[in-house]
Amino acid sequence: MNNVAVVTIDGPSGVGKGTLAQYLTCKTGFHLLDSGAIYRALAYGAVANQLALDDVASLEKLATELPVEFKATSIIYQDADVTSKVRTEEVAAVASTVAAIPEVRAALLERQKAFAESPGLIADGRDMGTVVFPAAPVKIYLTASAEVRAERRVKQLKTQGIDANIAQITQDIRERDERDANRKAAPLRPAEDAVVIDTSDLNIQDVCQKAESLLWEKGLMK
Ligand code: C5P
């Protein structure tokens, strides 16, 4: 949909994209695309179906037919609620491996574009501004050091009663960044016209305020 207002939010894992995307979705009443959840659902399906992670033909087929649906804040895979199952570091690692396959990305492209419906879309991911919605009027790229992101993740896990090893989480984050940024297909990078916000020294409220101001400037909020 060409004339639907799209706001893209890209950046590495654990940088606060999801929180910002939800904030802007509430403020604008726009739809939300959590593209990472699509890749995570694909990873979940690949593991459940015991697909080899280099079996491109089977992964492409699964991506084309992916039986995932989003209902409010839940992720439904073949009628089962997999919301918490897809949020693990293990699923994330598989997601970033299958996400590097160009055939898989191509198979998921139209499905992501279809989220752009009136009155608008907040699209969260890695390549929203560069590949999926290159004409979006507002593009935001969030960044923060791997250490800061790992600390935030550990805090978040603690609130869920999960003890986490900061060194391990930092290493997981680094490995995922490395794979996402160095792949040939749609590597993680800011679009040329993206506004880059380094969140290392900002709290999430500041990030939300900055982003909201951008939407006001561009006339996407009234
Ligand atoms: O954002 P999230 O951590 O849920 O994404 C999981 C993985 O899916 C990322 O590490 C990345 O490899 C992949 N992904 C992607 N392109 C997107 C969104 C996610 O390659 N637009």
Side-chain angles (χ1 to χ4, degrees):
M1 278 193 133
N2 281 339
N3 44 9
V4 171
V6 177
V7 176
T8 62
I9 307 174
D10 290 304
S13 43
V15 76
K17 300 186 302 286
T19 310
L20 175 60
Q22 269 172 10
Y23 175 82
L24 292 179
T25 303
C26 284
K27 284 281 170 179
T28 54
F30 288 3
H31 299 280
L32 172 67
L33 166 60
D34 173 0
S35 61
I38 298 181
Y39 285 95
R40 283 172 185 262
L42 176 67
Y44 174 85
V47 172
N49 289 297
Q50 298 182 337
L51 302 184
L53 300 187
D54 58 359
D55 180 353
V56 174
S58 300
L59 290 167
E60 183 183 7
K61 184 167 182 287
L62 181 62
T64 307
E65 299 163 355
L66 197 65
V68 69
E69 273 180 279
F70 298 95
K71 287 191 181 151
T73 54
S74 300
I75 303 169
I76 311 294
Y77 190 96
Q78 261 171 353
D79 298 330
D81 189 330
V82 296
T83 316
S84 51
K85 285 193 180 145
V86 302
R87 288 283 157 223
T88 64
E89 289 301 320
E90 291 74 25
V91 168
V94 175
S96 92
T97 304
V98 295
I101 303 171
E103 289 84 349
V104 162
R105 303 197 72 85
L108 293 174
L109 196 58
E110 285 313 312
R111 186 176 194 134
Q112 294 174 85
K113 284 182 190 279
F115 277 77
E117 285 196 343
S118 181
L121 178 70
I122 309 292
D124 160 350
R126 302 288 186 295
D127 61 341
M128 299 293 99
T130 50
V131 175
V132 184
F133 302 108
V138 178
K139 297 181 185 177
I140 298 169
Y141 187 90
L142 299 184
T143 173
S145 69
E147 289 75 14
V148 167
R149 287 181 283 134
E151 265 171 41
R152 288 178 188 161
R153 177 84 180 128
V154 168
K155 265 195 203 149
Q156 186 190 30
L157 288 171
K158 273 212 177 116
T159 62
Q160 298 164 16
I162 304 168
D163 242 348
N165 175 327
I166 182 117
Q168 182 63 50
I169 300 255
T170 311
Q171 192 188 328
D172 289 350
I173 283 184
R174 284 226 170 87
E175 279 172 15
R176 200 134 68 89
D177 284 358
E178 173 98 4
R179 263 200 302 272
D180 291 350
N182 294 325
R183 67 187 177 210
K184 288 210 174 70
L188 170 68
R189 61 174 175 79
E192 270 172 26
D193 50 349
V195 175
V196 178
I197 305 177
D198 186 337
T199 75
S200 302
D201 298 318
L202 298 175
N203 62 36
I204 191 66
Q205 287 83 359
D206 296 334
V207 177
C208 290
Q209 289 309 319
K210 268 183 190 270
E212 194 178 339
S213 315
L214 266 174
L215 267 64
W216 279 104
E217 276 168 33
K218 295 280 181 176
L220 296 192
M221 287 180 63
K222 287 176 192 103

